Structures are given as C-alpha cells and as structure tokens.
Amino acid sequence: MIEPHVPAPPGSPPSWGSPARLPVRPGAGRFLVLAGAFVCAACGLVYELELVALASYLIGDSVTQASVVLSVMVFAMGIGSLAAKRLRCRAAAGFAAVEAALALVGGSSAMALYAVFAWTGDWGGLWASGPRVLLVTFSLVIGLLIGTEVPLLMELIQRIRRQDAGGAVADLFAADYVGALVGGLAFPFLLLPWLGQLTGALLTGTVNALVGGALVLGLFRRDLTRRGRWLLIVANLTVIGVLAAAAVLVDDFERAARHAMYGDDVRVALRTGVQEVVLTGGSDGRPLNLFLDGRLRVGGQDERRYHEALVHPAMDGPHARVLVLGGGDGLAVREVLRHQGVRRVDVVELDAGVVRLARRDPALAALNAHAFDDPRVHVTTADAFRLLRGARAAYDVVVSDLPDPGITASTKLYSQEFYGLARQVLTDGGRLVVHGGPVSNRPHAFWTVDTTIRAAGLRTVAYRVVGPDGTRSESASASEPGSMPGVGMGSGVGSGAVRAPQDWGFVLATASGPAPRLRVDGATAPRLRTLTQAELAADARAAARMRVVGLRASTLVHPRY
C-alpha cells in the first residue's frame, strides 16, 4: 500500500534547489511518477524475458541462456545505479534520455539478434560465437539503462516534495515490483502468443518511449530548457518512428530471415502454441525438411534410415500394442504399421499443430503414408511425462521419439524417473527404444542416456546407424561451427545450410530377462530399405567401442546432459 506523503527529517540539502513547479497537484504528480515507474519496470522485464526466450530458441540450452542474460543484466543494473549519481542534478533530462535509449535498444534487440543469427550464423571462425556476443552486449546495455531508472525516479519524486527516504524508496520499489509482475505475465500470455517475439519487443519499446517522454514533458518540462524540450521531442519521435517502421516491415523481415536460414524453399511457416514449425521442399522432387524451433526434425533424404533404425529393432517380438512418445510427424508410426499383428498404436504428442500438419500437408502426409488416418492409431495431445504418470495400459513396445537430451526442455524426458514410469507400462518382455542423440559427436550425453535407463532397472543394448552413404549423412556434422544440438533426425540451421548429425544413437531396453537382441530380419519382419541385419550388428559393435564408462544417471533434480 502506498503511504501518504511523510516529510523528510532534517538532513543534508538535496541535489536540487527548490521543489519542481508542476502543472498538477503534488499528490497527483507523485502518483504519475509512480505510474511511470510501474510501466518502465514492466517494459524492462519484457526486454529480459524476450532476450532469454529468443536466445533459447536460436542458440539452445535455455538454462545457460537465462543464466547469462539475468546475471549480466543484474550486474549491469548495479553499474547503472552507480552511474546515475552523475545525472542527479539533471534528473528529468537524464531520465528522458535513458528511456529513449532503452526503448530503442530494448525494442530492437530481438530483431537485431535474429538478424545476426539468420545471416551470419554459419560464418564460423572468429564470428562463430557472434550471436552469443551480441546477446551479452544487449544484456549489458539494457541492464545499464534499467539500473539508472530507480535512482533518477527517486530524484524526481523528491523534486515534487522532499520526503522521508525510506517511505519514498518503499513506494517506488512497490510500483517497480508490481510493474515487473505485470510485464512478466504479459510476455508469455499476451505478447508472445498474440504478437510474437519481434513485434512484441517493438511494441514494448514504443510504450517505453511514450511513457518516458510524456512523464518528463508533462510534469517536469520546466526543468528543461527550450532547446532541451525540443531535443527530447525529436529524439522520442525518432525512436518511435524507427520502431513503428520496423513493426510495419516485420513480416517481410521474418520471411527474409527464414529464407536466409532455410533457403529459398520455405513452403510452410507457422507458430503453434508450442513452437515454430517450418516446412521446406516436398514438391518438384525436392526433399522435404521439417524444422521445429529452428532445428531439423525431418530430413527427407535421411529420415527413412533414422526411423527404420528407431522402430524395427524394438518390434522384434510381441507388438500388438505400441506406444509412441513424440513422433507427431507420423513417420515413426508409419514404420510401426508396417508390421503384421499391430492392433493399436497410441501416440503422445505435445504439439497438436504438428499432428495437424502431418495429417493435412500433402507432402508430409504422403511421406508418413497417411499414418494418422489408420483407425488403429490414436493420438493424445499431452506431455509424455505427465501421461506416463497416470497411464494404466500395458504396451508391448514403447518408442521414445523425443527431442534430443541436449535441449533443456527435454531433460526430464531422459531422466531416471521418466524411464521408471516407462518401465511400468511395459508388458512382460516388452521393449523400450530411445533415441539418445549422436554417438560420435556427443558420446557423454548418449552414454548417460544408457546409464540412466539401466539405473531405472532395465537391461539395455546400445546401437547406432550412420548416414546413408555408410560413413556419414549428406550434411555437415552437428559439431561444426554454426550448427546447434539436434532434435530427432538432425540439428540446427544457419544461412540456408541443413545440419545433420554424423550418426544417430539408440538404446533398446527391456525390463525382464537378458538384454534384448538386435534383430531386423525376423520371419514376419517387413523388408527394410536402408538397414540390414549385418549393418545393424556392425554399427552396434562400433557404438560399443565408443562407450564412456563411469557416468552417473540423470535425474530430475540432478540432470547430467
């Protein structure tokens, strides 16, 4: 609760000479300053969250990006608070200049970071970490500017009428914290779903400039010279004009950036409630590629080899009831349905938009052989972890076709607790198969998956498959500059280049009996196009030679990927 004005006790004289001459009553002026603090705090938190969200999407590893952004920004806020001491004697002009600069830098930060990633993401060399350097730079500059706000607002409140410092600080921080709450809630529930990251940041910058300029010009214009007022008006109009022009051009900018990242063959680009989905190719003989949040999920030239290796070793044995975790593209389901005796396939996919696209897009539906039209297939939109906690059905086969464990949001789906839940839904002799990411590029993460599955009480055998030419995929290795951790089939994108891993690693597990055998040439098994029994055995031996020993299981409270 904001307390009534309490006069300041006797002490040292203020940094200003006499109270400000306001066009409104002091009480109303004080309220307007606190309202300005509220709005500025909301805008500042939106800038922070926007940087974290965009960096997690573009660079990956949301925990690292959030830690970098928040720690650098908080540090810079402290430096900004110290720097504000030099502006106390010109608090009104200083605050106006800070808000104009913050509106421009914060409002344009998302577009600038996206542009650097799209057009220079695969440069390599000294610029390999360019997006990360820009992220830290924006965090530092925005933090410096935000840090100057509270000291200057404190001066402005005292300019209205000097009062007890403790009460003024309490009122100012209350407005600041409540504004941060509103900004923190507005970003995920309003700005991001309705406007997107780029337009949301531009709108936030515009509001920031309007409020900062209006507060100073409306209440403290007599503290400024005539020239100062005109400079402030011109500066704010310029900032608002730049942000408005960027907002008008944002759709063209996004299309150009997508073409720079995915090439000129972008056919579908949409944002579901969960992620950004991009389809390229799929017509005129061009291979179809599906990208989820900038990472390659389906590569038309390699996907069959990946999905045959994922599904068919697990199907050697009873397979009347099959559970597919993930797999919203329908390609793992396509391979499951090739086996005789499959009576029911349950698919658990978090993003209903991907399933809808897999049903309706002609090229993707043709690639998955219209798997979701089969009456035996039942789709549930849910989080895989949450669904397994309440599952009561028993399955002969569980196929885990989930995002790579290197992505922070997926870490819980590669935990000991998750595999313990998966074990509970397996029948006696049932099999679980898990995609564990590339073996050659990320052996520590892959063998941690194997160790974690064993810790959940299952017996495992690890195997891998390499690219279709027998050595590697047709694309660059995911460990090369400009690439990002892979999801399912492959990895990230940068300036039109499709990145794919050198190999794909899998772990086949069972809860009872000896370790499962690797077999794809059973009497009733379908004929595979890309994988033979001899190749599978050789690749399993190759994977075993890469084993990393001494690893510990990953858990919910101690992830190790």
Side-chain angles (χ1 to χ4, degrees):
M1 178 178 178
I2 297 178
E3 297 180 356
H5 162 69
V6 178
S12 59
S15 58
W16 31 265
S18 60
R21 292 176 296 169
L22 304 179
V24 297
R25 296 172 62 88
R30 189 167 171 272
F31 173 81
L32 291 175
V33 171
L34 293 176
F38 169 88
V39 175
C40 292
C43 293
L45 195 65
V46 169
Y47 298 143
E48 295 181 30
L49 296 176
E50 164 258 316
L51 283 178
V52 170
L54 191 59
S56 300
Y57 162 50
L58 297 179
I59 304 173
D61 191 356
S62 59
V63 170
T64 299
Q65 308 315 323
S67 299
V68 169
V69 170
L70 297 179
S71 59
V72 170
M73 196 167 284
V74 171
F75 163 77
M77 288 168 63
I79 303 300
S81 295
L82 293 175
K85 289 181 178 181
R86 296 183 175 272
L87 299 175
R88 291 176 62 194
C89 59
R90 296 181 178 87
F95 180 76
V98 164
E99 293 308 300
L102 181 58
L104 181 61
V105 175
S108 62
S109 59
M111 184 171 284
L113 187 60
Y114 193 27
V116 168
F117 179 82
W119 277 281
T120 71
D122 65 342
W123 279 11
L126 294 176
W127 192 248
S129 299
R132 290 181 175 87
V133 172
L134 188 63
L135 173 67
V136 172
T137 301
F138 272 120
S139 301
L140 187 64
V141 174
I142 292 174
L144 284 170
L145 295 171
I146 292 176
T148 63
E149 288 180 327
V150 170
L152 294 178
L153 286 168
M154 181 69 177
E155 285 291 319
L156 295 179
I157 285 182
Q158 297 288 50
R159 284 283 285 118
I160 295 174
R161 186 184 299 166
R162 191 168 180 236
Q163 66 180 98
D164 172 61
V169 169
D171 291 344
L172 189 57
F173 278 3
D176 187 81
Y177 294 153
V178 175
L181 171 65
V182 173
L185 295 177
F187 179 74
F189 297 114
L190 181 62
L191 296 177
L192 193 59
W194 289 97
L195 299 176
Q197 290 178 331
L198 303 186
T199 305
L202 294 169
L203 177 63
T204 302
T206 303
V207 172
N208 203 162
L210 286 171
V211 171
L215 181 64
V216 174
L217 290 173
L219 288 182
F220 301 97
R221 60 179 176 270
R222 293 177 181 175
D223 289 1
L224 305 176
T225 64
R226 180 180 178 87
R227 181 185 178 189
R229 289 195 292 269
W230 278 108
L231 285 175
L232 178 56
I233 292 173
V234 171
N236 276 273
L237 289 178
T238 301
V239 170
I240 293 171
V242 169
L243 297 177
V248 171
L249 298 174
V250 72
D251 290 338
D252 293 334
F253 171 83
E254 284 194 69
R255 281 192 292 269
R258 287 195 187 102
H259 285 303
M261 289 193 295
Y262 304 111
D264 296 330
D265 203 17
V266 176
R267 190 165 52 79
V268 175
L270 57 91
R271 175 164 289 279
T272 68
V274 178
Q275 59 201 337
E276 182 185 60
V277 180
V278 174
L279 273 179
T280 67
S283 61
D284 299 326
R286 294 167 295 185
L288 182 143
N289 294 313
L290 170 64
F291 297 89
L292 302 181
D293 273 348
R295 297 175 177 87
L296 180 65
R297 178 64 186 177
V298 173
Q301 294 184 349
D302 297 352
E303 69 81 14
R304 192 170 294 274
R305 186 171 183 83
Y306 166 82
H307 287 101
E308 286 188 347
L310 171 69
V311 171
H312 293 286
M315 298 293 286
D316 181 46
H319 50 253
R321 293 176 58 87
V322 179
L323 174 64
V324 178
L325 304 175
D329 50 48
L331 300 172
V333 179
R334 176 198 66 195
E335 297 302 319
V336 168
L337 295 176
R338 292 176 63 188
H339 284 262
Q340 300 177 11
V342 174
R343 294 203 305 267
R344 182 183 177 96
V345 181
D346 289 328
V347 180
V348 181
E349 169 60 49
L350 181 63
D351 192 349
V354 174
V355 177
R356 188 161 50 248
L357 188 65
R359 292 179 188 269
R360 298 177 181 178
D361 182 77
L364 186 54
L367 190 63
N368 65 37
H370 301 276
F372 290 121
D373 294 335
D374 192 298
R376 294 172 293 176
V377 177
H378 305 267
V379 180
T380 301
T381 302
D383 175 75
F385 195 102
R386 184 175 301 175
L387 183 134
L388 285 181
R389 291 189 68 175
R392 296 293 180 265
Y395 295 94
D396 301 302
V397 180
V398 176
V399 179
S400 180
D401 188 17
L402 296 166
D404 188 272
I407 299 173
T408 307
S410 304
T411 301
K412 72 174 183 178
L413 304 179
Y414 288 84
S415 65
Q416 182 177 337
E417 293 86 348
F418 180 76
Y419 294 129
L421 295 174
R423 180 187 178 187
Q424 294 178 6
V425 302
L426 288 174
T427 60
D428 291 339
R431 284 89 56 210
L432 165 70
V433 63
V434 175
H435 164 244
V439 183
S440 299
N441 297 337
R442 302 182 63 225
H444 184 279
F446 175 79
W447 289 109
T448 298
V449 174
D450 179 82
T451 300
T452 303
I453 296 174
R454 288 173 179 265
L458 292 97
R459 296 167 178 82
T460 67
V461 58
Y463 63 103
R464 68 161 191 167
V465 293
V466 295
D469 60 0
T471 56
R472 61 184 296 159
S473 73
E474 48 86 26
S475 306
S477 166
S479 63
E480 293 179 359
S483 63
M484 299 189 299
V487 181
M489 280 227 31
S491 61
V493 296
S495 296
V498 176
R499 309 291 184 188
Q502 181 173 345
D503 57 16
W504 301 293
F506 308 93
V507 179
L508 181 61
T510 185
S512 59
R517 59 181 180 177
L518 289 174
R519 186 180 178 188
V520 293
D521 61 352
T524 61
R527 183 176 179 179
L528 305 185
R529 302 182 186 181
T530 65
L531 189 64
T532 67
Q533 182 65 38
E535 290 174 341
L536 181 61
D539 281 341
R541 292 192 295 269
R545 289 194 293 270
M546 302 179 193
R547 178 178 289 275
V548 179
V549 298
L551 299 176
R552 301 179 66 179
S554 181
T555 65
L556 289 177
V557 296
H558 197 161
R560 300 181 186 276
Y561 298 108

